Amino acid sequence: MTLLLIGIMVLIGLGMPIAFAVLIPCALYFVAAGLPEALFAQRIASGTASFPMLAIPFFVLAGEIMQRGGIARRLIDVARVSVGHMRGGLAQVGVLGGALISAVSGSATADTAILSKTVSREMVREGYPRGFAASVAAVAGVLGPMIPPSIMMILYGLMAEVSIGRLFMAGVVPGIVIGIALMIANLLVMRQHAIEIPLRPKATMADLVQAVRRGFWALMFPVFVWVGLRGGLFTPTELGAFVALYCLVVSVFVYKELKLEELPAIFQESALLTAIIMFILASSTGLNYAIAWERLPQTIANWFLATSDNKFVILMIINVLLLLLGLALEGPPLLIILTPILVPLMTGLGVDLVHFGVVLVFNLTLGALTPPVATLIFVASTIVGCSSSEFMRYFWVIFGMLLLSLLIITYIPAISLFLPNLIYG
Amino acid sequence: ETVLRIGTGQAAAELQNVILQDVAARVKERTGGQLVLQLFPGGQLGSERDVHEQVKMGAPIITIVDSGYFANYANKDVGILSAPFVFKDYEEVTKVLKSDLAKSWLAQGEKNGIKMLAFNWFFGDRHIVGRKGYPKVSDLAHVKFRLAPIPIYIDSFKALGVSPVTLDFAEVYSALQQGVVDAAEGPTGSIYSSKLYEPAPFVTKTGHVKQVLGLMMNKTVFDSLPADQRAILIEEMLAGGERYSKQGADRQGDLQAQMQKAGVTFVTPDIEGYKAAVLPIYKDYKDWSPGLLDKVRAIVGAQM
Amino acid sequence: MLIKRLVQRAENFLPGFLLALMTVLVIIDVLCRYILNVSFAGSAELATAFFVWLVFIGSAGAVRKLQHIGIEGFSIFIPQAGKPWLHLFMSTAILVVSLHMTRIGYNLSMNSWDREIDMVGIPYFYVYLAIPISFALMAIHSAAQIIDILRNWQDAECVRLKTYTDPEV
Ligand code: NA
Ligand code: NA
């Protein structure tokens, strides 16, 4: 078992694609354990053969359509007229825009890519340091998995057998808390580096009305998600399909920014991205089987319980461990490996699994911001065009605020649980 | 020492897992620690169907299997054990399970590489839960009815006149609440634990399926155990089945009392009318050998 | 060469097509449930079967185009002369595991004629077949990459190690 995990880490470190870095040692493990050969193939296939998983391609598709069809731009316009006049105007637009886009898209990477191409580039033009502009887009991406819909929450819900509707609602208030923390962080950075940008004029009421009217169908989106889930009209999977359809109809027929001829390319790209994500997931299903077969969760739980039986202490240890693991791995792969190990432990400690899901998803998303493996930083600094040292100069203060939010969300469960309990009782 | 893993789909706290833990402890004690059974509840080894497949492939796993799924590995005729409205009570089912017919099914299973350790774990009766009671078959006409995607359930309930809707079980509560469906069916335990009685406070006690589960493992793996361990394993699994069936039946009564206290109305239906509507479709049911229903009724010794 | 072109076409076209099919299937199923009050038993199962094919055929294409996500890790410390060896190692490991997966995937599908997709009545063989076919394609692609590396030993590009680049930048 130890050999298996070390093998995976070494292969990942060598630069092997993550799916194969997991697949190869697992295949060896199954042979060495003397399990029937076809069993491994079955695990790999079953990682994808589940209807609830279909939510993932649907939300990927919706995100792709949103990027191309003008929905994202309109949401950023709404953010611009609402907070653009504040101190650090465009930086705050980045945060609010990130929150609005998160309410449509399911993944952090997509959000950061959109923000980098729009708000960050505009920030650079207006005279903000490149590193700051890239930081804003990179960190706003963490709102993506917190504010529903969220691919990470779906993955967790499926593996932990927790209601996805509840998880979606549980991410909303923490998402707002993080958003506020990011806005405060922007002010701190502006002061620390004495960044002086002339304040933008406050948008007139007419501008505001116009931006909201132009973005109406995009802003209606969260309402649509809300009603669909709350009303029990759709399962989360079906919701995904309708979200994609909604984005498509709005982009093609209302905003007329997407031509039907572009559809084949959109479907192809979404399918490719889905395949890449799901192939990692499929390989991890083999790993999960090995982990269960060897009773690793029980061993780890015993180890934790020997350290302490106080759930607050254990939550702290887990948060630190997750942040450390997040240095080298991130997002879905880590979530898939850790959920089956940690959930039994949390159940034993009496931690609410919805609350834990929010903590886990947020913590692992932070992994996308911690070098050396930091997708959100790569995406933002590549698109904005800044070096990593330039980026880091502005980034640390903001990241500190994110860690503070993590602490708050971990130790005040009510922030997560208030909304789902209100809605679902 | 030999380790066998028991894979189940239900959560660790469910009765079947509690009993299986108990069985594991007894087996360990009686074999002097030579045969260790480790429980993997909650689908840790994969979905039920996946684990069945793993057993067939030859993995050292014991798993719990419904008669409907066991049919795939033995003989399609086994499916009659989970066909709605065929049996009146568990005595009838037990008669069939003890008959030569059932023995021939188990033998066929072994020929296909599947050993049934114990086929006496009675899961409980399935009833209809709805926004109304359905005492007569005619009450079910065009009722939007949630059914699991199992062909024989769909066929038999169609014969009752319902409009079947196949939804994921997790969605049934909200579907009943929204009126997406008017009724569903399931065992008392699930109706209670999923709180289906809240949006649908009428339980029509059709008891249409007397669900029976068995514990199966790979024949080759089974044969590789020493004879004494094989005997102990079978004895304890059968004894566990009896405890499970007994405690399960008591629990059903408790749950009914609790639901009644919560304001649920229990309706006794015209079960003969139901049978008269459904049984004809089993006459020449496509999956079964001809005349199966008559053969089974003869074993039970009951009139059609 | 014609076969090569056909395979590439299929790898590019099929996943997107299946995604479109899945979307339409799920939407029609929901609409029928609310508007026509009937539900197509088996549409979810069928969509799931398409999804398996989407994922594995799409992954095969991603192996050919070197699009699977990896990290730079400590490979940056490996001297230039060692890089061709690293590429050779990785492509060979992928080739070997793909061949293994092709074989056990084939066994799995052949053993699954008697398990049917619920409510559709199609043997699971056709679902699992995605595994051996896709991994066979991956084996072919990685074999081609090995030949490529051996031919251009000196300037074997760090293709596997490229980090995220935005096409628009
Ligand atoms: Na989101
Ligand atoms: Na990281």
Side-chain angles (χ1 to χ4, degrees):
Chain A
M1 191 71 226
T2 324
L3 266 177
L4 171 65
L5 293 175
I6 292 174
I8 292 172
M9 288 299 171
V10 168
L11 287 180
I12 290 178
L14 282 175
M16 180 72 92
I18 290 167
F20 284 103
V22 175
L23 192 73
I24 293 167
C26 284
L28 284 172
Y29 170 85
F30 273 71
V31 173
L35 287 165
E37 282 188 332
L39 203 160
F40 185 57
Q42 184 216 53
R43 294 330 294 150
I44 301 301
S46 79
T48 60
S50 122
F51 184 66
M53 287 287 178
L54 266 58
I56 293 171
F58 293 148
F59 282 119
V60 168
L61 179 63
E64 191 75 33
I65 296 171
M66 175 189 70
Q67 275 195 53
R68 298 199 189 198
I71 293 179
R73 195 165 44 70
R74 283 178 170 77
L75 289 171
I76 291 171
D77 282 343
V78 172
R80 190 177 284 119
V81 294
S82 324
V83 295
H85 59 279
M86 290 166 60
R87 199 174 137 71
L90 272 174
Q92 311 297 31
V93 170
V95 176
L96 183 62
L100 291 174
I101 291 171
S102 297
V104 185
S105 111
S107 89
T109 320
D111 298 2
T112 290
I114 297 170
L115 291 172
S116 308
K117 284 180 210 165
T118 51
V119 179
S120 301
R121 285 183 179 167
E122 214 176 315
M123 281 176 79
V124 173
R125 270 199 298 278
E126 219 171 77
Y128 288 86
R130 274 176 189 269
F132 185 33
S135 295
V136 166
V139 295
V142 302
L143 294 168
M146 299 304 288
I147 295 173
S150 158
I151 289 172
M152 292 273 277
M153 295 280 193
I154 294 172
L155 282 175
Y156 173 81
L158 291 176
M159 284 186 295
E161 293 182 5
V162 175
S163 151
I164 291 166
R166 266 180 192 275
L167 280 170
F168 274 8
M169 291 307 145
V172 174
V173 181
I176 294 171
V177 169
I178 297 164
I180 293 170
L182 289 179
M183 287 190 147
I184 296 172
N186 285 339
L187 293 179
L188 291 176
V189 170
M190 299 282 291
R191 172 170 307 179
Q192 186 197 3
H193 293 274
I195 300 170
E196 287 302 333
I197 306 284
L199 290 187
R200 299 175 138 226
K202 192 166 172 17
T204 62
M205 203 54 197
D207 290 339
L208 186 68
V209 170
Q210 202 204 3
V212 169
R213 221 183 47 214
R214 278 169 43 90
F216 178 75
W217 292 106
L219 287 168
M220 278 310 285
F221 188 88
V223 178
F224 179 73
V225 172
W226 183 282
V227 170
L229 278 178
R230 173 67 191 97
L233 295 174
F234 314 118
T235 66
T237 311
E238 293 164 350
L239 178 72
F242 274 85
V243 163
L245 180 69
Y246 181 90
C247 285
L248 188 70
V249 170
V250 169
S251 302
V252 174
F253 298 105
V254 183
Y255 294 156
K256 300 197 171 69
E257 290 195 18
L258 194 70
K259 293 191 197 72
L260 284 172
E261 299 94 88
E262 295 176 63
L263 274 189
I266 288 179
F267 274 97
Q268 266 180 27
E269 272 170 42
S270 309
L272 180 68
L273 187 58
T274 305
I276 291 171
I277 299 174
M278 290 302 300
F279 192 46
I280 298 177
L281 193 105
S283 310
S284 310
T285 316
L287 177 61
N288 285 341
Y289 195 85
I291 287 174
W293 192 256
E294 297 282 342
R295 305 201 131 194
L296 188 63
Q298 286 88 336
T299 314
I300 300 227
N302 291 341
W303 181 79
F304 269 113
L305 294 174
T307 323
S308 163
D309 56 1
N310 180 314
K311 69 177 175 185
F312 297 105
V313 176
I314 292 186
L315 276 174
M316 181 53 94
I317 302 175
I318 287 179
N319 265 325
V320 173
L321 280 178
L322 291 177
L323 286 170
L324 289 176
L325 285 171
L327 296 176
L329 276 171
E330 61 192 39
L334 210 47
L335 185 79
I336 293 157
I337 296 170
L338 292 173
T339 304
I341 298 180
L342 293 177
V343 160
L345 175 67
M346 290 302 127
T347 315
L349 286 171
V351 175
D352 187 290
L353 288 185
V354 172
H355 172 224
F356 182 66
V358 174
V359 174
L360 186 65
V361 166
F362 182 40
N363 190 317
L364 295 184
T365 311
L366 290 184
L369 286 172
T370 51
V373 184
T375 316
L376 295 183
I377 298 184
F378 291 148
V379 172
S381 45
T382 313
I383 296 177
V384 177
C386 75
S387 71
S388 42
S389 60
E390 206 180 338
F391 181 92
M392 286 302 154
R393 199 176 308 148
Y394 302 91
F395 171 69
W396 285 117
V397 174
I398 308 181
F399 190 72
M401 286 302 279
L402 286 175
L403 287 181
L404 187 67
S405 322
L406 177 63
L407 269 182
I408 294 174
I409 291 166
T410 304
Y411 288 112
I412 311 181
I415 294 179
S416 311
L417 297 178
F418 160 75
L419 199 57
N421 286 345
L422 182 75
I423 292 169
Y424 292 98
Chain B
E1 88 176 25
T2 313
V3 176
L4 293 175
R5 289 161 168 85
I6 307 178
T8 74
Q10 295 211 340
E14 292 288 332
L15 183 62
Q16 56 173 247
N17 291 318
V18 174
I19 302 268
L20 281 169
Q21 283 287 19
D22 188 32
V23 169
R26 287 165 194 244
V27 168
K28 189 171 179 186
E29 200 196 308
R30 285 187 61 193
T31 59
Q34 289 305 298
L35 184 57
V36 178
L37 304 181
Q38 290 180 346
L39 188 64
F40 291 77
Q44 288 177 41
L45 300 182
S47 72
E48 289 182 8
R49 290 293 289 276
D50 284 348
V51 179
H52 300 161
E53 220 173 67
Q54 294 167 18
V55 167
K56 180 144 188 264
M57 290 169 186
I61 294 176
I62 297 172
T63 190
I64 207 152
V65 63
D66 174 69
S67 47
Y69 282 141
F70 181 57
N72 295 331
Y73 299 101
N75 183 324
K76 291 276 181 200
D77 288 356
V78 184
I80 198 168
L81 291 174
S82 49
F85 298 104
V86 172
F87 299 102
K88 188 171 90 223
D89 50 31
Y90 274 116
E91 263 169 63
E92 291 192 352
V93 180
T94 309
K95 277 184 192 164
V96 176
L97 286 173
K98 289 194 168 147
S99 69
D100 289 340
L101 183 64
K103 282 182 189 132
S104 77
W105 292 339
L106 294 183
Q108 264 176 294
E110 292 192 19
K111 222 167 60 192
N112 293 335
I114 299 291
K115 171 75 190 172
M116 204 61 148
L117 298 170
F119 201 4
N120 68 335
W121 290 56
F122 294 138
F123 184 73
D125 293 0
R126 299 181 77 100
H127 302 299
I128 297 176
V129 57
R131 285 151 57 106
K132 287 192 296 190
Y134 307 100
K136 293 191 306 293
V137 173
S138 54
D139 299 327
L140 276 174
H142 306 298
V143 166
K144 285 177 281 174
F145 202 107
R146 185 271 168 182
L147 287 167
I150 299 171
I152 200 160
Y153 280 26
I154 302 210
D155 293 338
S156 56
F157 277 86
K158 265 188 184 161
L160 295 170
V162 308
S163 314
V165 177
T166 51
L167 273 177
D168 200 59
F169 186 75
E171 307 303 328
V172 176
Y173 183 96
S174 59
L176 282 166
Q177 201 174 32
Q178 300 300 317
V180 174
V181 296
D182 299 315
E185 61 80 51
T188 313
S190 309
I191 293 174
Y192 181 80
S193 62
S194 310
K195 300 203 167 103
L196 298 185
Y197 61 86
E198 289 177 356
F202 290 87
V203 174
T204 307
K205 290 194 72 181
T206 46
H208 47 276
V209 178
K210 315 287 169 191
Q211 214 165 348
V212 57
L213 313 174
L215 280 133
M216 71 176 197
M217 70 181 290
N218 186 279
K219 179 79 166 62
T220 316
V221 178
F222 178 75
D223 289 340
S224 72
L225 299 173
D228 59 325
Q229 290 187 10
R230 287 192 304 230
I232 291 171
L233 186 60
I234 288 184
E235 271 171 38
E236 288 302 335
M237 283 296 182
L238 284 170
E242 270 163 31
R243 293 197 297 280
Y244 175 73
S245 309
K246 170 79 178 61
Q247 292 181 28
D250 294 347
R251 199 172 129 72
Q252 274 194 40
D254 293 347
L255 294 182
Q256 175 167 349
Q258 284 187 42
M259 284 193 266
Q260 271 165 333
K261 219 181 282 167
V264 176
T265 311
F266 281 78
V267 179
T268 310
D270 162 31
I271 198 71
E272 291 310 318
Y274 271 85
K275 286 193 166 195
V278 174
L279 289 183
I281 68 158
Y282 298 144
K283 272 285 180 220
D284 293 296
Y285 195 63
K286 55 186 190 295
D287 289 344
W288 301 343
S289 55
L292 178 68
L293 184 66
D294 292 336
K295 238 191 270 178
V296 166
R297 298 311 306 180
I299 293 168
V300 169
Q303 295 296 310
M304 281 285 298
Chain C
M1 283 307 99
L2 177 69
I3 293 175
K4 188 174 159 189
R5 263 219 320 277
L6 275 177
V7 165
Q8 289 189 4
R9 280 268 173 83
E11 282 175 352
N12 290 340
F13 170 79
L14 203 61
F17 176 72
L18 288 172
L19 177 57
L21 215 58
M22 282 155 47
T23 317
V24 171
L25 208 58
V26 171
I27 288 174
I28 288 182
D29 189 35
V30 174
L31 291 183
C32 285
R33 188 160 78 222
Y34 288 104
I35 298 173
L36 303 176
N37 247 333
V38 293
S39 83
F40 288 122
S43 63
E45 287 78 5
L46 206 58
T48 310
F50 292 152
F51 188 46
V52 175
W53 275 89
L54 181 166
V55 170
F56 288 99
I57 292 288
S59 296
V63 166
R64 174 167 52 83
K65 293 179 271 183
L66 295 168
Q67 278 169 325
H68 280 294
I69 305 168
I71 65 168
E72 235 170 312
F74 38 75
S75 61
I76 43 171
F77 302 118
I78 292 174
Q80 199 53 45
K83 294 220 161 142
W85 289 104
L86 183 65
H87 291 300
L88 188 64
F89 163 72
M90 288 197 292
S91 292
T92 312
I94 292 176
L95 171 65
V96 172
V97 82
S98 300
L99 288 173
H100 175 70
M101 293 304 299
T102 308
R103 194 171 59 85
I104 65 178
Y106 176 76
N107 290 344
L108 177 71
S109 356
M110 288 313 283
N111 277 318
S112 305
W113 282 102
D114 55 357
R115 173 174 173 182
E116 289 181 347
I117 306 176
D118 287 330
M119 302 311 301
V120 186
I122 296 172
Y124 235 69
F125 169 82
Y126 293 105
V127 179
Y128 284 151
L129 197 60
I131 306 262
I133 289 184
S134 306
F135 276 96
L137 290 173
M138 291 185 211
I140 294 170
H141 297 326
S142 44
Q145 281 154 16
I146 291 175
I147 295 171
D148 231 31
I149 294 169
L150 292 176
R151 274 201 190 142
N152 311 298
W153 188 258
Q154 283 314 316
D155 49 21
E157 264 273 309
C158 299
V159 270
R160 281 191 192 292
L161 309 179
K162 65 183 173 195
T163 49
Y164 180 94
T165 45
D166 190 90
E168 286 175 31
V169 177

